């Protein structure tokens, strides 16, 4: 379902569809959910005295992904604050 567009006078309002809202919530929280699941699995592996090599590698990957996400958000915020329009960013 595409974004809902409402025009009134000279003003155009873009309203996210329910699907877009749901996708945004999932996108915004997915990394935290994966990190939480990883932490729980690590506790189980520790309790069962299983090898931790894969868990440590995954933790490093998650750190890198989170750093990249933080940098992306910083760049987006900087672009928004500088007044660059969406069409200029694309």
């Amino acid at each position: 379902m595409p974004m809902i567009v409402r025009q009134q006078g000279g003003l155009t309002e873009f309203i996210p569809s329910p699907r877009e809202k749901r996708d945004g919530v999932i996108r915004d929280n997915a990394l935290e959910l994966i990190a939480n699941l990883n932490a729980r699995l690590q506790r189980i592996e520790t309790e069962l005295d299983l090898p931790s090599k894969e868990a440590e590698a995954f933790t490093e990957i998650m750190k890198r992904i989170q750093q990249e996400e933080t940098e992306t958000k910083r760049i987006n915020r900087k672009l928004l604050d500088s007044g660059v329009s969406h069409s200029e960013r694309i």
Side-chain angles (χ1 to χ4, degrees), residues 14-49:
F14 297 96
I15 305 166
S17 68
R19 181 179 183 159
E20 289 171 320
K21 288 179 184 178
R22 183 178 56 251
D23 290 349
V25 168
I26 291 169
R27 181 185 59 246
D28 292 345
N29 294 297
L31 287 178
E32 292 174 25
L33 293 171
I34 293 169
N36 187 6
L37 178 60
N38 181 49
R40 289 172 181 257
L41 288 172
Q42 282 182 328
R43 283 195 295 263
I44 292 169
E45 291 168 342
T46 300
E47 283 293 319
L48 297 176
D49 200 28

Side-chain angles (χ1 to χ4, degrees), residues 31 33-39 41-42 45 52-66:
L31 287 178
L33 293 171
I34 293 169
N36 187 6
L37 178 60
N38 181 49
L41 288 172
Q42 282 182 328
E45 291 168 342
S52 61
K53 184 178 179 182
E54 289 84 7
E56 291 168 0
F58 186 78
T59 298
E60 290 304 313
I61 290 169
M62 284 301 298
K63 284 180 187 176
R64 192 172 70 233
I65 290 170
Q66 289 171 331

